[in-house]
Amino acid sequence: MKAPSAWLLALLLVAPAAHAATGGGPPPPTPTSGFTNPKEDARYHALLKNLRCLVCQNESLQDSQAGLAQDLRREVREQMRAGKSNPDIVKYLVSRYGDFVLYRPPLMGTTYLLWFGPFLVLIAGIVALFVLLRRRTRRPDPDPLPAPERRRLAALLREREEGSKR
Amino acid sequence: MVRYLVPLGVFAMLVALLAVGLRHDPRKIPSPLIGKPAPEFSLPALTDPARRITRADLLGKVTLFNVWASWCVSCRDEAKVLDGLAKSRVVPIYGLNYKDRRAAALEWLKVFGDPYVANAFDREGQVAINWGVYGVPETFVVDAKGIIRYKQIGPITPQVLKDTILPLVRRLQQEARRR
């Protein structure tokens, strides 16, 4: 019994390492901007972080290795080199791919619920809690102790108190 | 009674919300270009690098603008549908050959059929970005004035052709004739 469990333990310890060696994949290389000016480089990466890759939809353009993401990064670089401002570049991508490319959807009619929904739910929860608590404190005790038992309880408590004093 | 109905109501609303969410395909992102003029482009033709294909080639008639590549597997299924459509001569099909090698693309046309009036060769995929393409195949229906009226994301199946694209093409052709 001892030997198999030791084997299992060894396997468990080795398995994650083996996974990292084979299937884990290389760490995603941060896309190089090619901008020598550190300010421009920072601007480039800040832009990419807020833009969504359309193929692997939970990754930003900064992180994605998809072919389309690489092409879109090139597009952003070229537009920066052409002297376009951040809002210009974002506006261009939105005009082609829709608000979906933005990680931060704009505040408008169709997104009010998205932006304020969580706060509404929070407020509803607070109101519900408040109402419930008030109702509970106001409601008379539905099952009060009968008088003889109440007297007995008081006597017991007194006795205990005296006992602890001694 | 109310204390049971309220949670039940909340639960029913949640189920309805999630049911709608499940039916919605998150991979299909509606194009903001629908109803807008097709973006300008000028690219070498696939068959003849000296010739240029531009937006002007699409004007004056209703056209399909089909984005494809030889490395795209679902384009093979679509090729049969497009071939049939080309033979029916209902609507001219223009192609945007996306991020491909010229030789591979020409070979593909020989194997799977060539339904295209002309193909623009978009080696770097830059024109595709300008058209808001994010996968292949995609197909745009462009009206006679060069306005994008519909975008099919993914292959055109016989079903999509019959139910969506052909009725739209006929409507747009009538619209163009009336003007």
Side-chain angles (χ1 to χ4, degrees):
Chain A
M1 195 58 212
K2 214 173 185 184
S5 62
W7 262 108
L8 261 179
L9 191 67
L11 260 177
L12 278 175
L13 288 173
V14 167
H19 170 74
T22 57
T30 29
T32 45
S33 64
F35 290 111
T36 40
N37 179 347
K39 244 189 190 166
E40 286 286 276
D41 187 72
R43 192 189 139 202
Y44 173 70
H45 290 295
L47 252 175
L48 292 188
K49 266 184 208 146
N50 283 314
L51 293 169
R52 167 146 64 166
C53 174
L54 292 108
V55 182
C56 17
Q57 301 184 346
N58 289 327
E59 278 188 312
S60 69
L61 283 188
Q62 165 87 349
D63 300 324
S64 178
Q65 289 302 302
L68 180 72
Q70 290 171 17
D71 291 351
L72 286 171
R73 285 199 288 268
R74 183 194 60 208
E75 188 70 35
V76 168
R77 276 197 305 274
E78 278 171 11
Q79 296 210 4
M80 278 177 72
R81 287 211 186 88
K84 296 264 183 76
S85 70
N86 285 10
D88 282 344
I89 295 172
V90 169
K91 213 171 127 196
Y92 170 77
L93 287 172
V94 168
S95 75
R96 264 41 185 175
Y97 290 101
D99 289 327
F100 194 88
V101 287
L102 305 174
Y103 261 127
R104 200 176 252 277
L107 191 59
M108 54 186 193
T110 48
T111 58
Y112 277 143
L113 199 62
L114 184 70
W115 277 96
F116 300 119
F119 298 108
L120 285 181
V121 173
L122 183 69
I123 290 168
I126 289 171
V127 168
L129 185 72
F130 194 71
V131 167
L132 221 72
L133 285 178
R134 272 187 67 149
R135 224 190 263 168
R136 190 171 291 180
T137 48
R138 257 194 214 158
R139 200 187 298 156
D141 193 344
D143 187 19
L145 220 49
E149 284 186 14
R150 214 183 308 150
R151 253 175 273 136
R152 207 175 142 225
L153 178 68
L156 277 171
L157 283 173
R158 221 180 302 127
E159 221 173 84
R160 192 168 153 236
E161 211 164 281
E162 274 163 21
S164 69
K165 263 181 202 161
R166 230 176 269 155
Chain B
M1 194 60 187
V2 174
R3 61 189 295 193
Y4 298 110
L5 279 179
V6 167
L8 193 70
V10 170
F11 177 70
M13 266 158 60
L14 202 65
V15 166
L17 195 74
L18 294 177
V20 169
L22 276 176
R23 273 156 205 278
H24 183 85
D25 184 356
R27 301 209 153 267
K28 291 199 173 162
I29 307 158
S31 173
L33 285 171
I34 288 164
K36 304 254 164 66
E40 290 284 351
F41 68 95
S42 172
L43 284 171
L46 177 64
T47 44
D48 176 11
R51 203 181 127 210
R52 298 206 64 94
I53 310 287
T54 67
R55 177 178 185 271
D57 288 313
L58 303 178
L59 298 181
K61 70 258 178 200
V62 180
T63 53
L64 297 193
F65 192 52
N66 172 249
V67 185
W68 67 282
S70 68
W71 46 262
C72 153
V73 178
S74 49
C75 294
R76 293 175 190 185
D77 295 328
E78 195 185 47
K80 287 172 215 142
V81 179
L82 292 183
D83 249 358
L85 181 63
K87 286 203 179 90
S88 75
R89 297 184 166 275
V90 171
V91 58
I93 308 169
Y94 286 79
L96 183 73
N97 180 240
Y98 175 66
K99 299 194 78 176
D100 214 337
R101 282 176 304 118
R102 201 182 282 272
L106 290 171
E107 183 61 30
W108 193 93
L109 290 179
K110 264 186 224 154
V111 175
F112 297 100
D114 182 359
Y116 303 104
V117 174
N119 257 298
F121 183 60
D122 191 13
R123 177 77 196 88
E124 303 300 327
Q126 229 153 357
V127 167
I129 286 179
N130 212 16
W131 279 65
V133 170
Y134 65 92
V136 272
E138 279 183 16
T139 306
F140 297 85
V141 179
V142 183
D143 74 10
K145 288 186 152 186
I147 311 285
I148 294 176
R149 302 296 286 263
Y150 176 76
K151 176 184 176 183
Q152 169 67 23
I153 295 158
I156 298 178
T157 58
Q159 185 81 23
V160 169
L161 183 70
K162 191 174 135 252
D163 294 348
T164 312
I165 292 184
L166 282 180
L168 176 64
V169 163
R170 290 208 185 93
R171 212 186 76 219
L172 294 177
Q173 284 172 341
Q174 274 169 11
E175 219 172 79
R177 244 173 271 139
R178 243 177 276 140
R179 275 200 209 108

